[in-house]
C-alpha cells in the first residue's frame, strides 16, 4: 500500500501534537480530578469527535479560506480566547477544597456536570482551538499529498479522532486512580486556580497573537 509511509508520518506528527499540553489537556485534567472518571471520559470523547470538525473543513477547503483571510482567522482566535477565558475564570472562582472522605461524597460535593455537558465542553474546547486549526491546515496543505485519494484522507481523519479520544481517555483513567486523584484532590482548591490561570494565560496568548497578526 503506497500510502503507508504517509500514514505513519501523519500518525507520528499527530502523536506529538496531541501529547503537547494545551486547552484539551487542561480541561480533561480538571474534570478528571474534580469530577471523576466518567465526566473526564465524556470530555475526552468530545475532544476526539471535534477532530472530525477540523477534518471536514480541511477537506471542504474552508481551512484554506481561513488561512488566506487573516481577519477571519483573527475572529476565530478571539472567539477561542473568550471561551478559554470563560472556563478559566470559572475554575479560578471554584469553591473550597473538595472533601476526599469517599469517592461518592467527593462527587456529590463537586456537583458533577452531566455527561452531555462534559462532552460539549470537550468538543467546543478542541473545536475552537486555533492550535488544532493550524495543525490541520498544515497537515492537509503540506504533509498530505494532493494526490492522496479522499477516501484515504477520511481514514486519516478517523484514525486521528480515535487516537485523540483514546489518548485523553487514557489520561482520564490514570488521573482518576485512587492515589493520584486523592493527592490532587487534597490540593484541589489551588489546583483549580492553577488550571484556571493556565487557561487565562492561553486566552491572553491568543489575543496577543491575534493583535500581532493584524499589526503585521
Amino acid at each position: 500500500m503506497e500510502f503507508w509511509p504517509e500514514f505513519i508520518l501523519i500518525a507520528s506528527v499527530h502523536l506529538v501534537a496531541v501529547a503537547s499540553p494545551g486547552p484539551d489537556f487542561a480541561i480533561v485534567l480538571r474534570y478528571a480530578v474534580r469530577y471523576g472518571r466518567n465526566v473526564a471520559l465524556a470530555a475526552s470523547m468530545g475532544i476526539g469527535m471535534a477532530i472530525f470538525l477540523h477534518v471536514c473543513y480541511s477537506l471542504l477547503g474552508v481551512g484554506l479560506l481561513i488561512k488566506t483571510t487573516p481577519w477571519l482567522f483573527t475572529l476565530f482566535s478571539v472567539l477561542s480566547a473568550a471561551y478559554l477565558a470563560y472556563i478559566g475564570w470559572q475554575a479560578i472562582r471554584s469553591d473550597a477544597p473538595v472533601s476526599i472522605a469517599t469517592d461518592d461524597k467527593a462527587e456529590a460535593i463537586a456537583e458533577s456536570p452531566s455527561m452531555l455537558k462534559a462532552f460539549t465542553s470537550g468538543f467546543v474546547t478542541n473545536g475552537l482551538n486555533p492550535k488544532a486549526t493550524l495543525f490541520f491546515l498544515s497537515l492537509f496543505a503540506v504533509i498530505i499529498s494532493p494526490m492522496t485519494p479522499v477516501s484515504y484522507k477520511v481514514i486519516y481523519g478517523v484514525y486521528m479522532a480515535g487516537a485523540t479520544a483514546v489518548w485523553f481517555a487514557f489520561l482520564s483513567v490514570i488521573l482518576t486512580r485512587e492515589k493520584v486523584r486523592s493527592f490532587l484532590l487534597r490540593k484541589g482548591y489551588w489546583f483549580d486556580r492553577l488550571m484556571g490561570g493556565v487557561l487565562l494565560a492561553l486566552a491572553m496568548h491568543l489575543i496577543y497573537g491575534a493583535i500581532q497578526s493584524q499589526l503585521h
Side-chain angles (χ1 to χ4, degrees):
M1 179 177 174
E2 61 180 320
F3 294 108
W4 266 112
E6 184 176 72
F7 175 78
I8 293 173
L9 177 59
I10 290 169
S12 300
V13 173
H14 175 259
L15 177 62
V16 173
V18 77
S20 301
D24 298 338
F25 178 78
I27 196 73
V28 169
L29 192 58
R30 180 171 185 259
Y31 276 10
V33 174
R34 190 162 184 82
Y35 303 122
R37 181 171 299 176
N38 290 338
V39 174
L41 287 173
S44 299
M45 295 304 105
I47 292 170
M49 289 301 295
I51 298 298
F52 287 117
L53 177 65
H54 299 296
V55 172
C56 286
Y57 69 62
S58 295
L59 290 176
L60 293 173
V62 177
L64 180 61
L65 175 63
I66 294 176
K67 187 176 181 180
T68 56
T69 311
W71 70 265
L72 186 59
F73 187 75
T74 298
L75 177 61
F76 184 81
S77 296
V78 170
L79 290 175
S80 303
Y83 180 74
L84 290 179
Y86 169 72
I87 59 178
W89 181 243
Q90 281 190 320
I92 288 177
R93 294 177 63 248
S94 61
D95 298 329
V98 178
S99 170
I100 60 171
T102 65
D103 280 345
D104 292 339
K105 186 176 180 180
E107 291 294 328
I109 295 176
E111 296 182 356
S112 176
S114 67
M115 297 298 103
L116 178 59
K117 184 175 181 179
F119 178 90
T120 302
S121 294
F123 186 91
V124 173
T125 298
N126 183 272
L128 289 180
N129 184 0
K131 177 184 174 182
T133 301
L134 289 174
F135 172 77
F136 280 93
L137 286 176
S138 301
L139 190 67
F140 280 84
V142 179
I143 298 179
I144 297 178
S145 170
M147 301 300 294
T148 301
V150 173
S151 60
Y152 282 86
K153 293 179 180 179
V154 172
I155 291 174
Y156 297 161
V158 171
Y159 164 77
M160 288 185 286
T164 299
V166 168
W167 167 252
F168 285 108
F170 170 75
L171 286 181
S172 299
V173 172
I174 294 299
L175 292 169
T176 51
R177 290 177 67 88
E178 185 177 352
K179 290 183 179 180
V180 176
R181 192 180 180 214
S182 294
F183 170 77
L184 293 173
L185 280 173
R186 284 196 296 269
K187 308 296 181 182
Y189 183 76
W190 297 109
F191 177 82
D192 270 350
R193 281 153 179 72
L194 176 61
M195 287 298 98
V198 169
L199 291 171
L200 285 177
L202 288 170
M204 289 187 288
H205 178 71
L206 288 178
I207 293 293
Y208 176 78
I211 293 174
Q212 288 296 104
S213 65
Q214 287 300 302
L215 292 178
H216 296 289

